[in-house]
Amino acid sequence: MDTLSRRGVLALSGGLGALAAGSGPSRAQQLASEAPHDPFVFAVQRSEAEWRAMLTDHQYEILREGDMEWPESSDLWDDYRPGAFHCRGCNLHVYSSEHRAEIDQGYVFFYHARPRTVLTDIDHTNVYTGRADDHRTMIEVHCRRCGSHFGHILRVGAEIVHCINGTSLVFLPNHA
Ligand SMILES: [Zn+2]
């Protein structure tokens, strides 16, 4: 399954549709250029070779390059069983089913991340229109421990939710 580029178009009216186009700078390049003197380092550090070895190409494009999966392409988007959602990059327990938002638009939606598990970044690519003259920014969300990309915080209808790529998560259903 191909991924959507960060420069892709994401239409939220009537459903999360998408259109791929071009590729942008890598996530590491973006972070370095935006905060060249920031001493922050992620607790889990891996080389590109190590990331490549533990992830499929598709997973690498999502987690390490910030791409977006196609709607309804993961196994998790319509799986509402109770359980824990861990970061595929470092196994941190980042989301829980108790905060799941039942929005059937092809991604995994949550009202909240677990406390102190995610960080945000400024995504300068406007995924709503994809136009260069559209300067609205998106709130990108990633793992605070390994930096892997999860998705975005955005508005769906009247609600602010985390719109997360199922590819970025490992689901551990509760064994009741
Ligand atoms: Zn992580």
Side-chain angles (χ1 to χ4, degrees):
M1 181 65 71
D2 290 336
T3 57
L4 296 178
S5 162
R6 290 169 75 83
R7 295 178 190 278
V9 175
L10 179 65
L12 284 169
S13 56
L16 288 157
L19 181 66
S23 63
S26 76
R27 167 144 200 84
Q29 288 171 332
Q30 282 193 333
L31 290 173
S33 66
E34 287 173 10
H37 305 298
D38 187 343
F40 178 85
V41 291
F42 292 105
V44 170
Q45 298 279 328
R46 304 187 210 282
S47 68
E48 181 181 345
E50 289 170 331
W51 282 116
R52 293 276 187 191
M54 67 177 280
L55 300 173
T56 66
D57 288 349
H58 174 68
Q59 291 166 351
Y60 185 91
E61 290 168 4
I62 306 281
L63 274 77
R64 305 311 302 172
E65 297 183 328
D67 281 356
M68 180 183 296
E69 69 194 14
W70 287 99
E72 303 184 12
S73 66
S74 84
D75 293 333
L76 298 181
W77 75 274
D78 60 349
D79 184 346
Y80 291 102
R81 288 177 294 167
F85 298 83
H86 290 214
C87 171
R88 185 176 294 284
C90 73
N91 204 35
L92 183 67
H93 182 185
V94 288
Y95 291 98
S96 295
S97 57
E98 65 181 300
H99 297 134
R100 189 79 187 267
E102 294 203 15
I103 299 169
D104 291 327
Q105 294 197 11
Y107 294 95
V108 190
F109 293 90
F110 300 93
Y111 293 112
H112 305 284
R114 297 183 72 239
R116 299 178 296 282
T117 61
V118 304
L119 296 173
T120 60
D121 198 359
I122 304 168
D123 188 341
H124 294 284
T125 302
N126 189 284
V127 296
Y128 291 102
T129 65
R131 298 202 318 262
D133 62 345
D134 189 333
H135 299 297
R136 290 180 298 173
T137 54
M138 297 282 292
I139 304 169
E140 188 268 357
V141 59
H142 57 270
C143 178
R144 66 105 167 133
R145 190 158 73 177
C146 74
S148 290
H149 172 70
F150 290 149
H152 294 88
I153 297 172
L154 45 74
R155 186 168 66 84
V156 176
E159 298 180 307
I160 301 294
V161 292
H162 295 225
C163 175
I164 304 300
N165 294 287
T167 303
S168 297
L169 303 172
V170 174
F171 180 51
L172 303 174
N174 289 344
H175 299 289

